Amino acid sequence: MTTAGLDARLNRIGTDDSYVIIPMDHGLTMGAVQGLKDIESTIDGVTRGGADAVLTQKGIAPRVHDNKNGKGYIVHLNGSTTIGPDEQDKRMTGTVEEAIKAGADAVSFHINVGSNYEPDQLTQLAEVTETADRFGIPVLAMAYARGPGVDSTDAESLGHAVRFAEEVGADLVKTGYSGDAESFQHVVESTRLPVVIAGGSRGTDRETVEMVRGVMDAGGSGVSMGRSIFQHEQPEAITRAVSGVVHDDLSTEDALTESGLALEV
């Protein structure tokens, strides 16, 4: 059930029920890669460029607040590393209470639907949503279709993943992109939650913006894009292009032009 507090916090991490969220929890996953060493400058750039919220692990909170230009903040509650035994084995890294102490407006939690770790992640997400509900804190479920024999871009599998998130009590859901607006419409229709997409590894500027355009054409609610944004040479500009599509309904061409990235192909 929605509450005044929940609605207020959702408004802090989005604009008119659409979302441009920039996750930067990848320092735990990948180390201090490009865009994350001086995370303060990146946070300043993406929030100036139109991001509604940024997302990190709890330990980075002191580096966030002075640089987010009044935008929203989400604390991620689980993780793993690329050099560990299995990157899909996400372990708890924080609690809802710790996120609140860190100044978060919302929390996020990663689940790999179809993986060997799904049972534990299901239980943990249920615990997170129960606690978050008591405090009126929104939960962003990062629900991916991943596991043995699972096609991570299959619309049916992605639809199952987003419905999983709703069934367990999340307030919005992030998932992978199925490749085109027509197939992604099934994903959006599989849940009543707002659906945002992950960016994945970085492509060209045009590929990134075209993907966002496809999501919005399918009825999606925006993006939660990390590497495509923070590893860009111009994080503010690419955020401006993505935000132009999500918040201003710009075409791919107009978004690239207005952000100054039109020369990229």
Side-chain angles (χ1 to χ4, degrees), residues 19-239:
Y19 302 87
V20 176
I21 298 167
I22 313 301
M24 287 180 269
D25 58 309
H26 302 66
L28 185 151
T29 309
M30 304 166 63
V33 296
Q34 178 182 332
L36 297 184
K37 287 184 179 179
D38 181 7
I39 197 171
E40 292 88 346
S41 294
T42 305
I43 291 168
D44 177 67
V46 300
T47 51
R48 289 183 185 279
D52 296 298
V54 296
L55 179 157
T56 75
Q57 293 281 348
K58 64 186 181 186
I60 302 296
R63 304 176 68 176
V64 172
H65 292 294
D66 290 342
N67 300 289
K68 65 183 179 66
N69 298 302
K71 299 302 182 69
Y73 179 44
I74 303 170
V75 167
H76 196 51
L77 299 183
N78 64 343
S80 60
T81 74
T82 56
I83 59 174
D86 191 336
E87 189 179 349
Q88 292 192 42
D89 185 10
K90 305 291 181 180
R91 299 297 180 97
M92 295 292 295
T93 57
T95 65
V96 173
E97 291 91 338
E98 287 177 314
I100 293 169
K101 289 179 182 178
D105 301 302
V107 296
S108 61
F109 194 87
H110 183 126
I111 53 176
N112 291 315
V113 180
S115 77
N116 294 328
Y117 307 104
E118 178 196 294
D120 287 338
Q121 292 168 1
L122 166 62
T123 301
Q124 291 163 358
L125 177 60
E127 292 171 352
V128 167
T129 59
E130 189 276 332
T131 304
D133 182 65
R134 287 193 279 114
F135 289 103
I137 300 294
V139 177
L140 165 63
M142 299 185 181
Y144 295 92
R146 292 179 180 169
V150 178
D151 180 350
S152 63
T153 63
D154 174 64
E156 291 291 333
S157 298
L158 294 171
H160 192 166
V162 299
R163 186 53 176 260
F164 181 116
E166 181 181 7
E167 298 276 348
V168 185
D171 299 289
L172 59 161
V173 59
K174 166 183 177 176
T175 197
Y177 188 49
S178 57
D180 58 76
E182 183 177 3
S183 62
F184 199 71
Q185 186 174 350
H186 168 75
V187 182
V188 172
E189 292 173 348
S190 296
T191 178
R192 294 289 182 89
L193 298 182
V195 178
V196 300
I197 60 145
S201 57
R202 183 182 166 189
T204 67
D205 295 343
R206 183 172 298 278
E207 288 170 342
T208 297
V209 177
E210 284 178 343
M211 180 168 62
V212 178
R213 185 66 263 171
V215 170
M216 302 310 290
D217 289 343
S221 296
V223 304
S224 175
M225 299 181 110
R227 288 172 289 169
S228 298
I229 304 294
F230 70 72
Q231 289 193 307
H232 197 281
E233 292 80 5
Q234 301 179 68
E236 181 174 345
I238 189 63
T239 305

